[in-house]
Amino acid sequence: MRTGAAHPLDAFFAPRSVVVVGASSTPGKPGNVVVRNILANGFQGDLHLVNPRADRIEGIQARATLDELPDGIDQAIVTLPAAQTPATVRALGARGIRAVVLAASGFAEVDQIGAALQADLGRAIREAGVRVIGPNTTGHVSTPAGFTSSFFPLGRVPRGSVSYIAQTGNFCGISLRHITSAEPFGVARSVGLGNKVDVDESDVLDYLGDDPETRSIFLYLESIARPREFLRIARRVSRVKPVILLKGGASDAGAAAALAHTGALAGDGRVVDGALAQAGVTRIRRYSSLFHVARALDAVGLPRGNRVSFLSPSGAFTVCLTDLCRAVGLEVPALEPRTLARLQALAPSFIRMRNPVDIFGSVGLHGYERAYGDALDAVLADRRVDATVVILMLTSETGMPSFDFLVDCARRHPAKPVLVTFMGEHRHNLAAKAWLETRGVPCYMQVEEPFEVLAVLARCRARVRAPAPAREG
C-alpha cells in the first residue's frame, strides 16, 4: 500500500469498513451486484448493508436505516435514485463517513432539471465535508485492497500494475470484463469518474502518481475539470511513470457525443495537444491502445529508446513494417558488424543479412528454434537495438516448436522488450500466444500492433526521467 502520510483518497482505495446504501437481495439489481462483487474480490474489511425491507442480503445482516450503522465507516456506496442522493450525502456526512461513491445517473448529463439536481448535490457535498466519486459512475476498483464499488458484474479482478482513470464506466464495467477475460494483465486501480461533481482526474492522478502498486497510468477523458492543476500534476507524475491519455471528443461530432455522455465540454484540440505534450502526457488515438499498450507495460516496461529490430519470415513484411516503423517514429537501425556476422553465419550464402532480419532461409538450414533463437539473441545483444519484434510463422506442416528459447532469450535481455506477433495457422497462433503470455512475453495477433505499441513506449521513455536500463553489450 501507499507509504508516508495518509492521502485523502485512501478511504476510497484502502477502506477498512464500507457500507452499501441501497443494497438489494434481488439478483441483477445494482445494489445486489455490488455486494456480490465485493465478496468475490475477497474484501477483508467490514461490510455493512442498508435496506429497510431486508434482514439479510447475500448472507450479511442488513440494517434498516443509516442511524443503525456503527461508527468508524470509511466509505459508502450509494445505489439509490438520483433524487435521493443530496439528502443521503448530507446524512452520511453527519455519520462521519467521508468517502462516498454515487452510482445513480440522471444529473447534468440528461437535462436542465438534472443539472439543477447536480448543483444541489454539489452543495450537499460541501456542507457534509465528504469526497464523492460520481455520480453517473459504475464505481471503482482497488485490487490491492480486494475491493470494488462497481455494480457491473465483474467477478474477481486480477491484480496487476496498470491503473485506469476513465470518464466512463467502461473500465469498471465492460472494458474491465474484456481485460479480465481476454488480456494477460491485471489492474491495480481503476476509477470511473462519472460526472466528476467532486473527485476528478487531477485528484486520482495525484494519488496514483505516488501509488507503489501503480507502474503505469492510462486515462480516458472527455474533458479536464481543472486544466492547470491537471497539467501541474501530470508534469510531476510523468517524470516517474508513464501517463498515457486517450482524449475523447477531439472532433466536432465526438465533442457532441461527449456532451451527451457525461455533460462534458471538450476543449480545443490543438490547445489540448500542446499543453499535454508539455506536461509529459503521451497521447494515443485508438481505444484498443488502452489495452495493447497496457499489455506491454505490465510485462516488459519501457525500452531505452526508439530503435527496433525485427525477425520476419517474409520479405514483404520487412518492407511494409519498415515503412510502418518510419511512420510511427521508430528507427530500424543498421546492426553492428559483429551482429551481422552472427546472423550471416546462420543464413544461406545467397541471402545478405541486415535489419530487419529475414529469418526464412535460416529456419530452412537450422530449424525453427536454433534459427529464431540465435538470431534473437544476436539482435538483442546489439548496442544499437532497444527492442525487438519477433514474427512467428506457425503451420501444421512446419511443426510447432518449443518456445522456451524465446522466453529464455527475453529473460537474458530484460532491458530490451521483446514483443511477438504471428502469421500462419490461426489455431497455432492462439496456442502460442496463450503459452507465451503466461510467461511474460506480450503477443499481438495483428502484425502492425507490436510496432504501434513500441512507438508509444518510446514516446513515454522520452518523457519518463527515471533511470533507463543500462545498455547491454
Side-chain angles (χ1 to χ4, degrees), residues 1-3 144 160-161 188-189 207-215 241:
M1 308 303 291
R2 292 173 63 86
T3 57
S161 66
R189 329 279 187 181
Y207 182 88
L208 297 180
D210 296 326
D211 178 20
E213 299 283 345
T214 296
R215 295 208 308 265
K241 57 184 74 174

Side-chain angles (χ1 to χ4, degrees), residues 85-391:
T85 55
T88 304
V89 164
R90 290 184 172 94
L92 291 169
R95 291 305 316 271
I97 299 172
R98 294 289 173 250
V100 181
V101 180
L102 297 177
S105 57
F107 293 88
E109 79 281 7
V110 177
D111 54 22
Q112 291 185 340
I113 296 175
L117 181 60
Q118 185 163 312
D120 185 31
L121 175 61
R123 289 190 290 273
I125 292 169
R126 290 188 292 275
E127 292 166 10
V130 303
R131 300 306 309 268
V132 167
I133 293 177
N136 190 23
T137 178
T138 51
H140 71 298
V141 171
S142 179
T143 58
F147 178 74
T148 178
S149 63
S150 175
F151 62 84
F152 189 92
L154 293 178
R156 190 175 185 90
V157 181
R159 186 170 177 173
S161 66
V162 174
S163 288
Y164 289 96
I165 305 170
Q167 197 172 348
T168 171
N170 279 359
F171 281 87
C172 294
I174 56 174
S175 291
L176 187 54
R177 280 291 290 272
H178 167 79
I179 292 171
T180 59
S181 62
E183 294 290 346
F185 66 89
V187 302
R189 329 279 187 181
S190 186
V191 183
L193 295 171
N195 287 14
K196 303 191 290 190
V197 71
D198 179 43
V199 172
D200 61 24
E201 56 279 347
S202 298
D203 296 313
V204 183
L205 182 62
D206 180 67
Y207 182 88
L208 297 180
D210 296 326
D211 178 20
E213 299 283 345
T214 296
R215 295 208 308 265
S216 59
I217 302 168
F218 290 77
L219 301 100
Y220 169 76
L221 298 177
E222 295 172 0
S223 65
I224 298 174
R226 295 176 290 151
R228 288 187 178 181
E229 183 70 359
F230 179 82
L231 294 173
R232 183 187 67 78
I233 295 169
R235 193 173 296 112
R236 174 180 66 82
V237 175
S238 64
R239 291 181 180 134
V240 295
K241 57 184 74 174
V243 177
I244 298 167
L245 168 67
L246 175 64
K247 177 70 171 58
S251 66
D252 291 344
L259 181 62
H261 181 206
T262 56
L265 287 173
D268 181 276
R270 290 167 298 181
V271 175
V272 170
D273 274 346
L276 291 173
Q278 290 183 15
V281 176
T282 300
R283 296 285 298 273
I284 54 177
R285 306 292 175 179
R286 299 203 306 168
Y287 195 85
S288 58
S289 296
L290 292 167
F291 313 116
H292 294 169
V293 179
R295 190 185 308 164
L297 279 175
D298 190 64
V300 298
L302 295 178
R304 185 177 178 84
N306 70 338
R307 301 169 302 176
V308 174
S309 178
F310 61 98
L311 311 185
S312 168
S314 160
F317 286 156
T318 66
V319 176
C320 295
L321 296 173
T322 298
D323 288 343
L324 174 64
C325 287
R326 297 294 173 85
V328 298
L330 295 174
E331 291 184 37
V332 184
L335 300 173
E336 293 181 299
R338 62 176 180 173
T339 308
L340 292 174
R342 288 183 64 182
L343 295 172
Q344 199 62 57
L346 295 168
S349 58
F350 58 87
I351 294 180
R352 187 174 180 80
M353 300 300 272
R354 55 174 63 87
N355 189 28
V357 179
D358 188 337
I359 199 69
F360 188 82
S362 301
V363 172
L365 281 180
H366 303 288
Y368 205 101
E369 294 173 41
R370 183 187 169 195
Y372 266 91
D374 286 1
L376 179 58
D377 187 69
V379 297
L380 287 173
D382 193 297
R383 290 170 295 189
R384 300 173 182 172
V385 172
D386 299 316
T388 299
V389 175
V390 179
I391 305 172

